[in-house]
Amino acid sequence: MSERRRAHEHHLSMATYMALAARNLTRNSRRTALTLAALVVAIGALTFLMGFMNAYLVGMNENFVLVMNGHIQIYGPEFKDSNLIDDYMPDTAPITAALDGDDRVRAWTQRITASGLASVARSTTSVAVVGVDPLREPEVGRLRTFVVAGEWLAPEDAGGVLLGVDIADNLEVELGDKIVMMTQGPGGDIVSEAFRVRGLLHSGIPDIDRVLALVTLSSAQSWLGLGDGATEIVVRTHEFETVDAVADALVAGVGQSLDIRRWYNQDPLIEQMLEMQDASHLIIIAVVISVVLGQLINTMFMSLYDRVREFGLMEALGSRRRNLFAMLLWESILLVSIGGFIGYAIAYGAILWTAAVGIDLSAFGDTLASMYIDPIIRPVIDLQSNLYLLGTIIVTAILAGLLPAWRATRLNPVEAMRQI
Amino acid sequence: MALIETENLVKTYRLGDITVRALNGVTLSVGNEEFVVLAGRSGSGKTTLLNMLGALDMPDSGTVRIKGEEFINLSKDARALFRLRHIGFVFQAYNLIRVLSARENVAYVLELQGVPKSERHRRADHWLNEVGLGDMGDRRHDQLSGGQQQRVAVARALAAEPDIVLADEPTANLDSGTGQQLLDTMRHLNEVHKTTFVFASHDPVVIGAAKRLVRLDDGRIASDEIKR
């Protein structure tokens, strides 16, 4: 025998392994069909579920940023800890100049935020007074879109206020009514001012509907005596991906003594949801794998036991253990790949269709809105999800084939050929 | 040097509480081109001896050498390689890989031997033709009769160009006419291609075809005679 042939001894081609795998799968077509059905359902459900989760998580992130938080928030160094108006930023010009000079920044706006009380003759309720720039604010957030009665603030409207609908209900006020708002000015002095209700805000988000009282930035500055200062600057970038770079540039440039925060650090809920995104994918994958694995391993073992004599024969003919191992493993991989592909294809079609028409969860609108989730979900599959799915299929196939394949290598050819 | 040499082979099995001595000191020598039948009643040890000659089973003591090469202490994979290079098998039944055609069954062993695809198909067709199945290469086991399946097994064994073909009760599931045809084919191949055949059988058809008859009784060689 030539050296070249000896080098190829015991090497079966992929074509041979695949032919054996495919033909053995058709040996018991009913069993194969049942296993394929389980795989199609499992991989299909997993694919669609991932698409659904991606949609609401991406939507949640965007909504969180676009409602009023922005991609980046800039505060005075102590403001977020003390929540005192004394810790405002008296001179924001260097910061806004830096933002204007950065092409990655789409828009920015300044605000003044202060805790206070809103009163009418017979009732009082706590509010978060927020002074906004009526022209810049809509470029950064969606507060303007939540006006359900009345009008958005006019820049020159020094005495107007927009209230969350729940505040208006608590105070029993309507458009045009007068309310008095009271808060602490610099140095701890209590300051109060009368405003007239110009509009009502409804968003479904408790932080807006139950506590927000919007006034113009200029009226807040003059009321609280902050000059041209602000408690925060909110920045919106063109892309999510550039947020860190813009924030880093701000820290390196003008922000050495400022508190500069990124969107994903703003809300513990959002941060946890993001951290949970990968974990929840993995948990779902683990559940799906464990559900289908039992069926698959059973199928592969049945396939092995049906052919014990044949494996004995192959071993007698000179097949090595690795040949038998590879045969069962490829059979498992082929089975899972076919089931996975069909399941993925069906789910992908379902994702495209539901993305076009949208899954309407408006019945849970306020609950979803409170978590910054759109009531119309449009599933989407991204590269990372595809990689997760591919990994799931490969891991499932290998796990299902591993034990029966190992068992095949332990067969004694003489005993195997005695099997009936 | 003899092609096959065994020395004092001993093999015991446990069947529940009973210990059965299947081979009890078998010493045998088989030369090139021989056509040997190991005969004996059921339980005499002929299949056990054949399995040891084929490196499928290991003795408790004693040695087996094929072309002077000892394989008792080899690993499972090394014994598979030994079988691939030196030994062809024809079993009593279930001889074929069911999902493969007759041609693919023959080519399977050739692929394991590293024979290039074009050559293995040519050789498979040649050996199928030699056993009278030249036009049945595409048939699978369920499209072949029992005798035809045994012939495919013979073609597969010979295509690999082994030193020895071991056949365990190859006619057990065949009618006497078909069994005789199979034996005639194997005897012809022994004479033309000088391949050594060793059979384990109690079938009179096989025993009648033997050039050398070794009778086993209770795990010992009871007689060893050259017939013709």
Side-chain angles (χ1 to χ4, degrees):
Chain A
M1 192 181 288
S2 69
E3 285 306 310
R4 186 166 170 272
R5 267 180 51 186
R6 292 212 159 178
H8 286 89
E9 274 180 337
H10 287 122
H11 173 80
L12 291 175
S13 68
M14 183 58 75
T16 300
Y17 281 124
M18 282 297 137
L20 284 167
R23 293 180 197 177
N24 278 313
L25 285 175
T26 59
R27 240 170 158 166
N28 189 329
S29 49
R30 180 182 291 184
R31 186 171 65 208
T32 302
L34 281 172
T35 309
L36 276 177
L39 281 162
V40 167
V41 170
I43 300 293
L46 178 64
T47 305
F48 190 81
L49 205 56
M50 278 195 168
F52 186 85
M53 284 175 64
N54 286 342
Y56 83 71
L57 283 168
V58 169
M60 187 171 72
N61 297 346
E62 282 185 3
N63 291 340
F64 177 77
V65 166
L66 291 178
V67 166
M68 64 183 295
N69 291 289
H71 289 111
I72 299 167
Q73 295 190 336
I74 305 166
Y75 304 96
E78 307 294 335
F79 181 75
K80 287 300 275 185
D81 291 330
S82 69
N83 217 22
L84 293 174
I85 203 76
D86 302 74
D87 294 320
Y88 76 108
M89 295 177 287
D91 182 12
T92 58
I95 305 168
T96 56
L99 292 171
D100 284 335
D102 192 330
D103 291 340
R104 295 165 296 190
V105 173
R106 178 171 168 167
W108 57 266
T109 189
Q110 298 183 91
R111 294 185 193 140
I112 290 172
T113 303
S115 299
L117 295 171
S119 307
V120 290
R122 280 172 294 190
S123 62
T124 298
T125 187
S126 60
V127 292
V129 180
V130 180
V132 296
D133 182 331
L135 297 178
R136 286 188 171 275
E137 184 65 37
E139 300 297 319
V140 174
R142 289 179 179 164
L143 286 176
R144 185 174 181 168
T145 65
F146 297 142
V147 176
V148 290
E151 291 178 350
W152 180 244
L153 293 165
E156 66 281 2
D157 186 357
V161 62
L162 302 180
L163 294 178
V165 287
D166 293 341
I167 301 172
D169 280 349
N170 287 344
L171 295 176
E172 297 179 355
V173 294
E174 295 177 346
L175 293 179
D177 287 350
K178 191 167 79 174
I179 64 168
V180 174
M181 293 202 291
M182 187 165 58
T183 185
Q184 275 189 329
D189 296 335
I190 301 297
V191 292
S192 60
E193 186 68 74
F195 292 89
R196 202 163 288 277
V197 179
R198 305 285 193 221
L200 301 178
L201 303 168
H202 178 258
S203 65
I205 301 167
D207 286 351
I208 293 174
D209 298 351
R210 291 180 192 168
V211 293
L212 210 58
L214 294 186
V215 298
T216 63
L217 179 68
S218 55
S219 65
Q221 285 169 331
S222 64
W223 173 29
L224 299 171
L226 303 185
D228 291 330
T231 58
E232 64 196 72
I233 299 172
V234 181
V235 182
R236 183 177 171 189
T237 61
H238 286 287
E239 308 280 347
F240 267 87
E241 290 73 21
T242 59
V243 169
D244 285 333
V246 172
D248 290 343
L250 282 170
V251 170
V254 296
Q256 300 283 356
S257 60
L258 296 171
D259 180 3
I260 296 177
R261 300 188 175 204
R262 293 133 214 243
W263 67 275
Y264 49 81
N265 300 131
Q266 281 295 317
D267 188 320
L269 172 70
I270 294 291
E271 197 168 2
Q272 282 169 13
M273 291 288 274
L274 281 173
E275 286 171 358
M276 281 293 292
Q277 184 172 5
D278 281 347
S280 43
H281 276 160
L282 291 174
I283 289 167
I284 294 169
I285 286 169
V287 169
V288 169
I289 286 179
S290 53
V291 166
V292 295
L293 211 52
Q295 165 88 15
L296 267 171
I297 289 176
N298 184 50
T299 298
M300 294 311 299
F301 264 118
M302 291 301 290
S303 181
L304 166 66
Y305 291 138
D306 282 353
R307 288 145 55 199
V308 164
R309 287 194 71 129
E310 203 166 289
F311 280 111
L313 171 68
M314 289 188 200
E315 204 169 345
L317 295 176
S319 305
R320 286 173 78 167
R321 286 179 294 180
R322 72 175 185 216
N323 298 126
L324 306 183
F325 188 89
M327 270 174 214
L328 273 169
L329 202 58
W330 279 118
E331 199 171 315
S332 172
I333 289 170
L334 185 64
L335 180 63
V336 176
S337 299
I338 293 170
F341 177 78
I342 297 171
Y344 179 84
I346 292 171
Y348 192 73
I351 285 171
L352 289 180
W353 181 69
T354 50
V357 300
I359 299 171
D360 189 354
L361 301 178
S362 302
F364 312 101
D366 278 1
T367 307
L368 294 174
S370 69
M371 297 172 70
Y372 299 97
I373 298 172
D374 280 328
I376 306 293
I377 307 280
R378 297 183 190 280
V380 60
I381 278 284
D382 58 6
L383 177 64
Q384 190 183 11
S385 301
N386 280 326
L387 291 176
Y388 271 129
L389 288 163
L390 185 64
T392 303
I393 289 171
I394 292 170
V395 168
T396 306
I398 290 174
L399 285 179
L402 217 49
L403 201 56
W406 176 81
R407 184 73 188 83
T409 68
R410 313 306 296 173
L411 292 173
N412 176 311
V414 174
E415 290 172 8
M417 282 191 292
R418 283 200 199 115
Q419 299 277 320
I420 296 173
Chain B
M1 182 177 63
L3 182 61
I4 304 171
E5 288 178 295
T6 73
E7 281 179 32
N8 205 25
L9 284 182
V10 174
K11 180 71 177 182
T12 53
Y13 293 108
R14 286 197 66 81
L15 293 173
D17 294 336
I18 305 166
T19 301
V20 177
R21 183 159 281 212
L23 293 180
N24 192 6
V26 173
T27 298
L28 179 70
S29 178
V30 177
N32 282 309
E33 305 177 27
E34 286 206 66
F35 199 83
V36 183
V37 176
L38 307 175
R41 60 183 169 75
S42 183
S44 60
K46 55 188 186 298
T47 295
T48 304
L49 179 57
L50 201 73
N51 285 341
M52 291 197 184
L53 300 182
L56 290 172
D57 206 355
M58 292 296 104
D60 298 334
S61 64
T63 58
V64 183
R65 281 189 289 275
I66 307 280
K67 292 177 84 174
E69 198 172 336
E70 172 70 76
F71 57 78
I72 297 296
N73 295 319
L74 296 180
S75 69
K76 200 176 179 190
D77 279 346
R79 276 186 276 133
L81 185 61
F82 187 87
R83 287 193 294 272
L84 185 63
R85 288 177 179 170
H86 299 292
I87 301 166
F89 286 98
V90 180
F91 297 104
Q92 179 178 338
Y94 293 97
N95 254 306
L96 303 187
I97 300 165
R98 295 187 167 211
V99 293
L100 299 182
S101 67
R103 181 182 296 107
E104 289 167 333
N105 262 280
V106 178
Y108 177 80
V109 177
L110 299 178
E111 186 174 356
L112 284 175
Q113 286 187 329
V115 176
K117 188 175 183 180
S118 57
E119 190 186 336
R120 61 179 183 253
H121 282 180
R122 185 188 60 72
R123 273 168 64 177
D125 286 338
H126 166 76
W127 283 102
L128 285 171
N129 205 42
E130 282 283 303
V131 298
L133 298 175
D135 56 346
M136 297 188 184
D138 293 327
R139 294 194 184 184
R140 292 197 193 173
H141 87 287
D142 53 357
Q143 297 165 314
L144 295 166
S145 68
Q148 288 167 340
Q149 289 182 38
Q150 296 300 73
R151 283 165 186 267
V152 174
V154 172
R156 183 178 58 200
L158 289 165
E161 297 174 353
D163 297 309
I164 315 150
V165 173
L166 303 177
D168 185 13
E169 306 280 10
T171 58
N173 293 328
L174 306 179
D175 61 65
S176 59
T178 309
Q180 186 62 59
Q181 282 179 5
L182 181 70
L183 260 295
D184 290 345
T185 302
M186 294 167 100
R187 181 102 182 221
H188 169 74
L189 295 170
N190 166 252
E191 285 164 4
V192 173
H193 297 285
K194 311 301 181 192
T195 307
T196 302
F197 280 80
V198 179
F199 295 81
S201 180
H202 60 262
D203 182 350
V205 173
V206 179
I207 293 170
K211 291 181 181 175
R212 178 181 169 192
L213 182 63
V214 178
R215 287 193 181 276
L216 291 166
D217 190 20
D218 288 338
R220 296 174 189 273
I221 293 178
S223 66
D224 187 346
E225 58 179 306
I226 305 296
K227 292 184 71 181
R228 54 191 149 116

